[in-house]
Amino acid sequence: MTTPNIPGSTDDAPLRLRTLGHSGLFVSELCLGTMTFGGGDDMWGLIGQLQQEPADELVKTALEAGINFIDTANVYGGGNSERIVGQSLKNLGVRREDVVLATKVLGPMGAGPNARGASRGHIMNECKASLQRLQTDYIDLYQIHGFDPATPIEETLEALDTLVRHGHIRYIGLSNWAAWQVMKAVGIARARQLCPILSLQAYYTLVGRDLEREVIPMLESENIGLMVWSPLAGGYLSGKYEGPDASAENRRAKFDFPPVNRERGSEIIAVLREIAAGKTLGGQSVSVAQTALAWLLHQNAVSSVIVGAKRVDQLQDNIRAAQIRFSDDELAALDEVSRLPAEYPGWMLERQGEYRAHMKG
């Protein structure tokens, strides 16, 4: 099979490229998520059960659209997602240097107490296993999938640094960590001269802006990249679960995640529908889901938005969201309807900083 048309420069790419955190690594503003790959009769099967051939079509579609960034995890499908991703790149004849591969480690990959977590032993074992499943010599971005309260952060970071020095991974990232946990890791890495934290993968949507309280200010302060997972809140921001035409047969009926405040959410979707109704792309109407994705791409802290799909047409619709632009009034309307309620110390910091903020420039 011929190699997909992977853009060789930012001038050729249909999608914009952004540096990931404080690095020279360029990633596409949309990232292909592969949680729908390889699921069986388990939790992962509720999300997706795509096998090799349909997965190859999705990877090909993503690469041809200008996506150079693919995200997976060792736990997705019990390792099947990584196997399928690695085989897809082989099947499609993709040069390894033309794609940025990201995977994650933390969740249980066996029955024993040491077959999970962020200990040195588990990280070393699982990195080796991920490399084999992905059929590659190195992982571009290796991420700790969540916070492990049983393992010292120092142990985790030193294990990751060892993998970087051995050439098995290029950069390190975190996922689903609190702001104080990320900053502690940043401080330890600096003090011990370990490989720095490049990125955080986290949940962030119009109906879930919690990250803006502590995490996003920290990321912007430390120049750490943000990868967004579940940008449509588990499909909720497609709008198909709200209104008179809502169907009871949907993924959220079986797997209601991430949690959503439906009262606030219905107001947000109403504004999304109004804005979407006034836009077209190439003569085609714009959907609520595309509008919600586009809002994320307008947020300065966001490096890349992870989009997954079960069908090629779903992925193509998601990719088209990158072409949507908002007016200042539209952004203000979305901000107003989805804004977080004020909390301490945020409102006090804003109040006390007013008399100095204007002097900063």
Side-chain angles (χ1 to χ4, degrees):
M1 186 177 291
T2 58
T3 303
N5 179 26
I6 301 173
S9 71
T10 54
D11 294 333
D12 300 331
L15 296 176
R16 290 165 294 188
L17 296 175
R18 305 179 181 188
T19 53
L20 187 61
H22 188 58
S23 78
L25 180 65
F26 282 87
V27 297
S28 49
E29 60 185 334
L30 294 178
C31 171
L32 178 63
T34 62
M35 195 185 290
T36 57
F37 292 8
D41 296 328
D42 52 13
M43 179 188 76
W44 306 112
L46 296 175
I47 299 169
Q49 300 183 10
L50 295 183
Q51 299 308 309
Q52 196 65 57
E53 188 174 342
D56 287 356
E57 287 300 312
L58 285 179
V59 173
K60 182 175 184 291
T61 299
L63 295 174
E64 289 180 340
I67 291 177
N68 75 338
F69 199 13
I70 300 176
D71 179 74
T72 184
N74 62 348
V75 293
Y76 295 168
N80 287 331
S81 176
E82 287 184 329
R83 290 190 191 95
I84 291 171
V85 168
Q87 190 60 47
S88 282
L89 298 179
K90 297 291 184 182
N91 291 346
L92 296 170
V94 179
R95 294 188 307 170
R96 179 64 185 86
E97 59 269 30
D98 285 334
V99 66
V100 177
L101 275 181
T103 191
K104 300 182 281 293
V105 59
L106 182 83
M109 294 298 288
N114 293 315
R116 63 200 65 204
S119 68
R120 183 178 185 89
H122 186 58
I123 288 172
M124 294 297 187
N125 289 340
E126 285 307 311
C127 181
K128 180 179 179 180
S130 289
L131 288 168
Q132 291 175 342
R133 287 190 289 263
L134 289 165
Q135 301 183 56
T136 184
D137 295 328
Y138 67 94
I139 295 163
D140 294 283
L141 179 66
Y142 200 46
Q143 305 157 96
I144 304 300
H145 209 163
F147 186 74
D148 178 5
T151 301
I153 295 177
E154 291 88 345
E155 179 179 340
T156 299
L157 294 177
E158 287 175 356
L160 292 170
D161 187 73
T162 298
L163 290 171
V164 171
R165 293 179 188 278
H166 289 177
H168 300 312
I169 64 178
R170 299 279 173 89
Y171 299 96
I172 65 175
L174 306 172
S175 180
N176 303 316
W177 284 38
W180 72 266
Q181 294 165 340
V182 176
M183 273 310 306
K184 187 172 182 179
V186 168
I188 291 169
R190 288 174 180 165
R192 300 194 176 200
Q193 296 185 319
L194 304 174
C195 187
I197 306 299
L198 185 66
S199 63
L200 177 72
Q201 188 175 145
Y203 169 64
Y204 183 39
T205 69
L206 272 166
V207 77
R209 294 174 61 179
D210 310 69
L211 235 59
E212 294 176 6
R213 296 204 188 280
E214 299 285 348
V215 174
I216 284 181
M218 177 273 301
L219 296 178
E220 292 180 329
S221 169
E222 303 307 313
N223 202 0
I224 295 173
L226 174 61
M227 298 166 61
V228 176
W229 61 260
S230 197
L232 297 179
Y236 178 81
L237 285 174
S238 68
K240 61 186 177 184
Y241 305 149
E242 292 286 345
D245 299 326
S247 171
E249 293 297 323
N250 55 62
R251 181 187 128 184
R252 276 195 162 267
K254 301 176 181 177
F255 188 58
D256 193 14
F257 183 84
V260 168
N261 183 323
R262 301 293 283 263
E263 183 177 347
R264 281 173 54 83
S266 61
E267 296 176 357
I268 292 168
I269 287 173
V271 175
L272 283 170
R273 283 195 174 116
E274 182 180 349
I275 292 174
K279 293 185 179 296
T280 60
L281 285 175
Q284 299 182 27
S285 59
V286 168
S287 69
V288 170
Q290 289 170 330
T291 309
L293 287 172
W295 178 83
L296 283 168
L297 294 174
H298 282 70
Q299 307 310 303
N300 291 333
V302 173
S303 302
S304 190
V305 175
I306 301 170
V307 292
K310 296 180 181 179
R311 305 189 313 269
V312 167
D313 63 297
Q314 289 178 328
L315 180 58
Q316 290 171 332
D317 282 346
N318 288 340
I319 292 170
R320 291 175 69 238
Q323 301 174 39
I324 296 175
R325 301 293 181 267
F326 295 119
S327 68
D328 290 343
D329 289 343
E330 289 169 335
L331 285 172
L334 288 170
D335 179 66
E336 178 65 27
V337 72
S338 64
R339 185 181 303 154
L340 292 170
E343 282 189 359
Y344 180 85
W347 52 259
M348 193 63 175
L349 291 171
E350 183 178 355
R351 181 183 179 89
Q352 290 185 318
E354 286 177 352
Y355 76 103
R356 293 281 285 176
H358 71 282
M359 300 172 64
K360 189 175 180 180

